[in-house]
Amino acid sequence: MRRLIQNILLVAMVLTLLAACQVEPKPIAYGEVNCAHCQMTVSDSRYGAELVNDKGKPFYFDSAECLAAYLQDNPEQQEKAAYLLVTDFTRPNQLIDARNASFIQSRELPSPMGMYLTALSDEGTATKMHQEVGGRLLNWDQAMIAVKNNEKPE
C-alpha cells in the first residue's frame, strides 16, 4: 500500500510539472501587472496585450502599441513568440491573435499609450466601427509600421 501511495504522489508531481511547463496564454491580471515595454500598470481590460514566448513565459502590455514597440526593440522575441495576443475591444479580457486582428486607429478611440490603436477580432465589426468613428483600418503588419513610424490619426 505504501508503494502505491508513493507511485501516486510521483505521478501527481510529474503531471504538476508538465502542467506548469505548458506554453499557453495566461489571463492578464489587470491592475496587478506592469507593461513589459513602458512599465505602466496594465489596467484597461479593453486594450491589454500579451506575448507568450516559446518557453511559456508571458509578457504583458497595456496596449497593442506597446506590444508592437516591444517587438521592434526586441525582434528575437517575435521569432520566439508562441502567442502574440491583443484584447478584442468589444469583448474586454478576451485575447485574440494579433496577426489575425483588425485595428482601428482613430482619435475617437484613445488607447492607453496615445497611438489610438483599437483591436477587434471580427473584420465586419471593425469595418462597421471604422465607418462610425473614422480614422484608419489596419491589419497587424500595418499597425506595426504605424507604431514604428509613430503615425497618429489626424
Side-chain angles (χ1 to χ4, degrees):
M1 184 66 159
R2 184 176 183 181
R3 183 78 173 156
L4 176 63
I5 291 173
Q6 286 176 334
N7 286 339
I8 290 171
L9 288 174
L10 179 62
V11 168
M13 285 177 30
V14 168
L15 290 175
T16 301
L17 286 173
L18 287 174
C21 295
Q22 288 181 344
V23 177
E24 61 186 29
K26 312 285 189 282
I28 299 173
Y30 290 96
E32 298 175 25
V33 296
N34 290 341
C35 177
H37 179 68
C38 72
Q39 303 306 312
M40 291 180 66
T41 301
V42 180
S43 59
D44 191 334
S45 63
R46 300 169 303 165
Y47 286 100
E50 180 176 348
L51 177 154
V52 180
N53 72 11
D54 58 345
K55 293 180 176 54
K57 181 178 179 180
F59 295 83
Y60 303 108
F61 302 89
D62 62 354
S63 63
E65 55 259 36
C66 273
L67 171 59
Y70 179 84
L71 292 173
Q72 288 164 9
D73 292 344
N74 302 280
E76 72 285 354
Q77 289 295 336
Q78 185 159 348
E79 295 167 16
K80 293 179 183 179
Y83 294 94
L84 290 177
L85 305 165
V86 292
T87 302
D88 182 341
F89 181 80
T90 61
R91 296 181 297 161
N93 296 308
Q94 182 70 41
L95 293 169
I96 57 175
D97 187 334
R99 294 165 283 216
N100 297 326
S102 295
F103 294 85
I104 298 172
Q105 190 178 37
S106 170
R107 292 227 179 246
E108 298 298 316
L109 297 168
S111 59
M113 294 308 295
M115 289 291 301
Y116 303 93
L117 281 176
T118 299
L120 298 138
S121 62
D122 179 76
E123 191 173 343
T125 302
T127 300
K128 183 179 178 192
M129 188 179 287
H130 173 246
Q131 291 169 348
E132 294 171 6
V133 300
R136 303 189 308 167
L137 191 56
L138 309 168
N139 63 29
W140 175 243
D141 292 333
Q142 293 165 327
M144 288 279 291
I145 291 168
V147 170
K148 180 180 180 182
N149 296 331
N150 198 30
E151 298 171 9
K152 295 181 183 173
E154 298 171 358

